[in-house]
Amino acid sequence: MDLLVCRGLRKRFGSVRVLPPTDLTLAEGSVTALIGASGCGKSTLLRLIAGLLPPDGGEILLDGQACRAPGPSRLLVFQEESLFPWLSVADNVGFGLGGLPAMVRRRCVAAMLASVGLSGWENVLPGALSGGMRQRAALARALIMQPRLLLLDEPFAALDAITRERMQRLLVDVQARTRQTMLLVTHDVEEACLLADTVCLMAERRGIVSAQALALPRPRAVDAPAVVAARGSLHAALTASMGGGGEA
């Protein structure tokens, strides 16, 4: 069943066309990765879907209903975790649950913090956490709202390699438990191969130019032959989309 359908989405900033007419369909419960060179429109597409930017044309349908503004059904986790520095971890994670009774809210927050490995850190301010822990809290803040679609804009790019691997494993675990539909923007082809069911390649001013399905169970080993083959194929396609040059 299709959860999200985008048809003919396009966007300009002044005279610059940053996203040509672009189509994208996400199946419910799937993980889709967007890869492509810097400036090809990945983050713009994510912000259009989140409702943070108005499209210049096209339509966005979630569960068959038109989306024209931000809402709790589509939540975006940024590369920078964007926690409120003056609130505790628990208050950050439970920020969107203000309409619930305090006892219910505390139970929900405690369960979500346990699911991302942050039990015991409820009363700590974000500044006292490591980068990986702050990103776990940001992920928990989004997941606790039970969005229909979770959007992730290079959420692990600022982390060191070991922490990034741990966060990737956490995301796989969370998705296995919740069957959360996710759309992930990443520059890392290996990350896309480890996490996604489908990898979409975007090219500058051309939109999505190809999609590759990865019918592999998760978790996946980075050195598994199928993952190595997919990584090589996607890297070659990415390089070709950039005219054989630039940063892959």
Side-chain angles (χ1 to χ4, degrees), residues 82-168:
S82 302
L83 299 175
F84 300 118
W86 59 89
L87 294 181
S88 68
V89 170
D91 286 342
N92 265 285
V93 172
F95 186 79
L97 303 179
L100 294 179
M103 185 176 296
V104 175
R105 186 167 64 249
R106 283 195 296 270
R107 283 203 302 267
C108 291
V109 169
M112 183 55 64
L113 288 176
S115 75
V116 298
L118 286 178
S119 292
W121 296 88
E122 291 86 350
N123 299 318
V124 176
L125 293 176
L129 302 180
S130 68
M133 294 171 77
R134 289 195 298 272
Q135 202 63 320
R136 288 190 206 183
L139 183 60
R141 184 174 62 181
L143 289 170
I144 203 169
M145 299 300 295
Q146 298 182 322
R148 298 287 287 136
L149 175 61
L150 183 63
L151 305 165
L152 303 127
D153 193 0
E154 298 193 68
F156 312 139
L159 304 178
D160 63 84
I162 299 300
T163 304
R164 184 165 62 247
E165 290 173 8
R166 290 172 178 164
M167 289 297 297
Q168 290 168 351

Side-chain angles (χ1 to χ4, degrees), residues 46 76-77 139 150-155 171 182-185:
L46 221 60
L76 178 57
V77 176
L139 183 60
L150 183 63
L151 305 165
L152 303 127
D153 193 0
E154 298 193 68
L171 200 66
M182 300 181 183
L183 179 59
L184 166 73
V185 162

Side-chain angles (χ1 to χ4, degrees), residues 18-238:
V18 293
L19 189 72
T22 297
D23 299 335
L24 176 66
T25 300
L26 304 182
E28 187 165 8
S30 67
V31 180
T32 301
L34 291 174
I35 63 172
S38 297
C40 70
K42 303 185 300 297
S43 293
T44 297
L45 178 57
L46 221 60
R47 282 159 173 75
L48 289 171
I49 294 171
L52 301 181
L53 286 175
D56 293 331
E59 63 178 354
I60 303 167
L61 303 176
L62 187 74
D63 288 320
Q65 302 298 312
C67 297
R68 299 186 178 89
S73 61
R74 294 155 292 136
L75 295 181
L76 178 57
V77 176
F78 296 93
Q79 179 177 335
E80 300 296 333
E81 72 283 341
S82 302
L83 299 175
F84 300 118
W86 59 89
L87 294 181
S88 68
V89 170
D91 286 342
N92 265 285
V93 172
F95 186 79
L97 303 179
L100 294 179
M103 185 176 296
V104 175
R105 186 167 64 249
R106 283 195 296 270
R107 283 203 302 267
C108 291
V109 169
M112 183 55 64
L113 288 176
S115 75
V116 298
L118 286 178
S119 292
W121 296 88
E122 291 86 350
N123 299 318
V124 176
L125 293 176
L129 302 180
S130 68
M133 294 171 77
R134 289 195 298 272
Q135 202 63 320
R136 288 190 206 183
L139 183 60
R141 184 174 62 181
L143 289 170
I144 203 169
M145 299 300 295
Q146 298 182 322
R148 298 287 287 136
L149 175 61
L150 183 63
L151 305 165
L152 303 127
D153 193 0
E154 298 193 68
F156 312 139
L159 304 178
D160 63 84
I162 299 300
T163 304
R164 184 165 62 247
E165 290 173 8
R166 290 172 178 164
M167 289 297 297
Q168 290 168 351
R169 289 196 295 270
L170 172 64
L171 200 66
V172 168
D173 290 343
V174 167
Q175 206 279 333
R177 290 197 309 268
T178 65
R179 300 303 301 163
Q180 174 72 59
T181 308
M182 300 181 183
L183 179 59
L184 166 73
V185 162
T186 179
H187 277 98
D188 188 336
V189 174
E190 182 175 286
E191 181 171 81
C193 291
L194 291 175
L195 300 181
D197 300 302
T198 303
V199 181
C200 296
L201 172 63
M202 294 188 70
E204 187 175 5
R205 300 183 184 180
R206 293 166 57 199
I208 295 173
V209 295
S210 68
Q212 180 169 328
L214 301 176
L216 306 171
R218 288 185 294 260
R220 302 166 185 166
V222 67
D223 57 352
V227 173
V228 172
R231 185 171 66 238
S233 172
L234 287 166
H235 194 280
L238 176 59

